[in-house]
Amino acid sequence: MAPAGDSPTNCCRTTRWGARCTPAWPTGPVTSSGWCSTTPRPAATRRSVSPHPSPTRCGAGLWHTAGSVEELAEATGLDPAALRESVDRFNGFAEQGRDADFARGEDPYGRFFLGAATADQCLRPVGGDQLHAVRLVLGDLGTKGGAVIDANGAAVDADGRPIPGLYAAGNSSASVSGEAYPGPGVPLGSGMTMAYRAVADMAGQALPIAP
């Protein structure tokens, strides 16, 4: 994403989760913040962004509301032509019922957040006389780093051998799901499970491993 307040060099791109448009550099590293633009939706389908911005957010410049795409671009410091191009591109996807950029809604996890049954229900055109832009910043949800552990929560060395007396669980260990993120609760659920197994192993009562 382009830094907040800077114009993207080429175009804006719609993001996959809950966002309509975020400024993006066509190449280069992801930076710390960007903008998400959206249009009001029925309360039943609104999961990602609160429909009622607080005065604190507005006063801090984190939330802008405007009557047109061009006005929204001016409020956020984005290139009006680039923002218009991005909105038009996304609206084209909404009309077709398929997101060619990010396949929005084509997996069950994505549909869950909108209460949708099909991918096309996750695509609604951006328009009307009230448009919002919300600043987004990077944050931590969990970690994929940490010590690699075995089935008993024991940390292992580079050769996969348990290191005596050293155990890890939760975000202190490498994720049990590898590079995948199956859904909410993976760090907590695996952390509790592996901690339980680790304590049993420490006590000399290692738990069996299901075949």
Side-chain angles (χ1 to χ4, degrees):
M1 294 182 291
D6 288 354
S7 296
T9 57
N10 184 12
C11 59
C12 299
R13 292 295 183 192
T14 51
T15 59
R16 186 174 183 181
W17 306 112
R20 293 305 190 220
C21 175
T22 300
W25 300 104
T27 59
V30 174
T31 54
S32 60
S33 63
W35 289 99
C36 157
S37 64
T38 184
T39 190
R41 294 181 294 163
T45 62
R46 194 182 292 122
R47 300 285 184 92
S48 301
V49 179
S50 169
H52 305 296
S54 67
T56 301
R57 291 174 184 162
C58 293
L62 302 177
W63 188 298
H64 295 281
T65 300
S68 69
V69 170
E70 289 69 27
E71 291 177 7
L72 198 63
E74 181 179 358
T76 56
L78 297 175
D79 180 351
L83 184 58
R84 167 56 66 186
E85 178 185 350
S86 180
V87 170
D88 289 346
R89 179 178 176 82
F90 177 82
N91 286 348
F93 295 156
E95 292 177 3
Q96 298 170 11
R98 180 178 180 275
D99 182 355
D101 281 341
F102 295 102
R104 185 196 310 267
E106 293 184 17
D107 63 272
Y109 190 64
R111 293 193 295 273
F112 168 79
F113 282 97
L114 292 176
T118 59
D120 62 288
Q121 294 174 345
C122 298
L123 302 171
R124 300 196 176 193
V126 175
D129 58 2
Q130 190 178 56
L131 300 172
H132 304 291
V134 183
R135 179 174 289 178
L136 302 179
V137 297
L138 296 179
D140 292 330
L141 173 66
T143 177
K144 293 296 182 187
V148 177
I149 57 176
D150 64 13
N152 290 317
V156 300
D157 61 21
D159 295 322
R161 296 173 298 193
I163 301 173
L166 183 60
Y167 294 82
N171 285 344
S172 295
S173 68
S175 175
V176 298
S177 61
E179 297 182 355
Y181 182 64
V186 172
L188 290 175
S190 64
M192 290 188 293
T193 300
M194 298 313 299
Y196 184 83
R197 294 189 62 88
V199 171
D201 193 60
M202 293 177 205
Q205 300 177 11
L207 299 173
I209 300 175

